[in-house]
Amino acid sequence: MALYYHEVFEQSVRFGIKIRKTIFEGESEYQRLEILDSDRFGRMLVLDGLFMTSEKDEFFYHEMLIQPALCTVPKLERVLVIGGGDGGSVREILRHPSVEKVVMVEIDEFVVNSCKKYLPMIGTAWDDPRLDLRFDDGIAYVKESEDEPFDVVIVDGTDPVGPGVVLFDLEFFRGCKRMLRPHGVLAMQSESPIYFEKTFVETQHKLAEIFETVRPYFGPVPIYSGGIWSWTFASDQVDPLELNEARVAAITPDSKVYNGEVHRAAFAQPNYIRKLIAG
Ligand code: SPD
C-alpha cells in the first residue's frame, strides 16, 4: 500500500508526497525533525510537519534565494545567513570566489547535524574555511552583534508558525538592516503569496518602512504547494534588475535554474500581486 506524507495547510489543503521510508526522526528543543525517503524527490527534510527541502528539488529554492542578491550587490565579500540549517544556502554563496567570509547563525544544532549526516548532497560546503558557523539565536545576533557589517544578509527560515514567526517581525528586519553595509542587500524567503497572503503582503510593507527598494520575486519550488513561491529583495542602493554580468556568467553554467533571463523574469509581478501589495 502506498504511503503518503501530507503537509496540511489550515485544515483546508493537503499536499501529499509518496514516501518509501522514514530514514531518521527526532526532536530538538525547538522542533520535530524527520528525514524521509521519497520516490519523486529523494531524501527530504521535514520540520514540524512542513516540507523544508529535498534532494531533487532544493536547487529551485536555494539558487533563487541566493543568486539574485549576490549577482546584483556591488561588492561581494561578506555574507550573513540567518537559518539555513540544511546547508544549501551557504553552498550557493560559496560558489562565488570573491566571498571572503560567510557567517551562518542557526539556532538549532540538531538540524545541522542531522542534515550533515542524512542530506550531505545538499550541504556540500560545510568544510569551506570561509564559513563561520554559529549555533545561536539569529534574532539576538542581528540586534546585538558587534561584527563588521555584511554586503548581503540572507534569511533562510521556516514558515511563520511557532518559532518561525519572529523571522517576519519588523524588529528583526531592522536588525538585519543594522548588519548591512550601506550598499547591502537583504534577501529572504517570503512564503507562498497564495497560502500565506497576509505574511507575504505584510513582509513587503514592513521592509518598505526601512528600505528604499523592496521587490518580491517568484519561482516554482515543487515541494512547496501553491504553484509559486516568493522571495523578497530589499536594499537602499541596489536595483534588483542591474545585474553584475560577470558574476552571472561565472555561475550560470553550473546552475540548474539561475541565469540572467530567469533573474529578470522572476521580478515580473502578476496583476493580482500588484493589487495585493498596493492594498
Ligand atoms: N514551506 C517551507 C518554507 C521553508 C523555507 N525554508 C526552507 C529551508 C531550506 N533551506
Side-chain angles (χ1 to χ4, degrees):
M1 197 184 73
L3 183 65
Y4 284 80
Y5 193 106
H6 286 109
E7 182 180 273
V8 181
F9 183 74
E10 287 184 351
Q11 301 306 325
S12 63
V13 175
R14 270 174 187 269
F15 177 57
I17 296 180
K18 189 177 165 199
I19 298 304
R20 287 191 187 132
K21 63 176 177 181
T22 298
I23 307 249
F24 175 72
E25 55 189 320
E27 198 153 347
S28 71
E29 63 180 293
Y30 303 105
Q31 53 210 337
R32 175 162 181 71
L33 174 149
E34 292 161 279
I35 305 282
L36 310 174
D37 193 20
S38 68
D39 279 358
R40 179 67 67 164
F41 296 108
R43 290 191 176 191
M44 305 179 62
L45 170 66
V46 178
L47 293 178
D48 285 339
L50 300 168
F51 297 133
M52 287 294 128
T53 197
S54 84
E55 179 180 352
K56 299 279 173 63
D57 90 325
E58 60 83 20
F59 57 88
F60 286 97
Y61 175 87
H62 291 118
E63 288 186 19
M64 291 305 285
L65 172 62
I66 302 303
Q67 299 307 344
L70 271 64
C71 288
T72 49
V73 73
K75 185 171 170 194
L76 177 58
E77 291 172 355
R78 291 175 54 78
V79 182
L80 170 65
V81 179
I82 304 295
D86 51 65
S89 288
V90 294
R91 178 204 70 217
E92 281 300 310
I93 294 163
L94 290 166
R95 292 174 63 197
H96 291 269
S98 69
V99 171
E100 293 170 356
K101 187 170 179 80
V102 180
V103 175
M104 172 175 156
V105 184
E106 162 63 57
I107 199 165
D108 198 345
E109 187 169 1
F110 182 61
V111 173
V112 171
N113 291 340
S114 305
C115 291
K116 279 186 178 174
K117 185 162 180 189
Y118 298 108
L119 297 173
M121 67 300 277
I122 294 178
T124 54
W126 291 120
D127 296 328
D128 191 307
R130 296 173 290 169
L131 175 62
D132 175 355
L133 172 58
R134 307 182 194 176
F135 297 112
D136 214 339
D137 178 359
I139 316 288
Y141 177 86
V142 298
K143 197 171 168 193
E144 295 157 8
S145 170
E146 295 300 323
D147 285 353
E148 230 182 280
F150 296 85
D151 301 301
V152 176
V153 173
I154 298 290
V155 184
D156 183 10
T158 55
D159 295 299
V161 285
V165 172
V166 283
L167 294 176
F168 294 85
D169 278 353
L170 181 56
E171 279 320 295
F172 172 64
F173 296 153
R174 285 192 204 283
C176 291
K177 178 156 184 183
R178 194 182 77 85
M179 296 310 297
L180 275 175
R181 288 172 166 163
H183 63 262
V185 175
L186 166 76
M188 63 178 286
Q189 77 88 3
S190 47
E191 294 295 320
S192 157
I194 313 296
Y195 293 133
F196 282 95
E197 178 184 311
K198 188 165 181 285
T199 302
F200 168 77
V201 173
E202 287 180 358
T203 297
Q204 309 308 309
H205 293 168
K206 287 174 188 172
L207 288 171
E209 286 188 40
I210 52 176
F211 287 98
E212 292 294 321
T213 299
V214 177
R215 291 282 301 274
Y217 59 100
F218 306 95
V221 181
I223 67 162
Y224 299 166
S225 56
I228 58 169
W229 198 253
S230 80
W231 300 266
T232 299
F233 179 110
S235 179
D236 280 342
Q237 296 182 5
V238 180
D239 178 341
L241 297 181
E242 277 188 21
L243 302 188
N244 179 316
E245 296 294 353
R247 278 188 218 137
V248 175
I251 64 152
T252 291
D254 293 323
S255 296
K256 292 182 177 150
V257 169
Y258 187 81
N259 59 43
E261 285 180 28
V262 166
H263 179 124
R264 291 186 186 91
F267 282 88
Q269 286 185 19
N271 288 349
Y272 76 93
I273 299 270
R274 289 184 183 171
K275 281 189 188 153
L276 280 180
I277 296 172

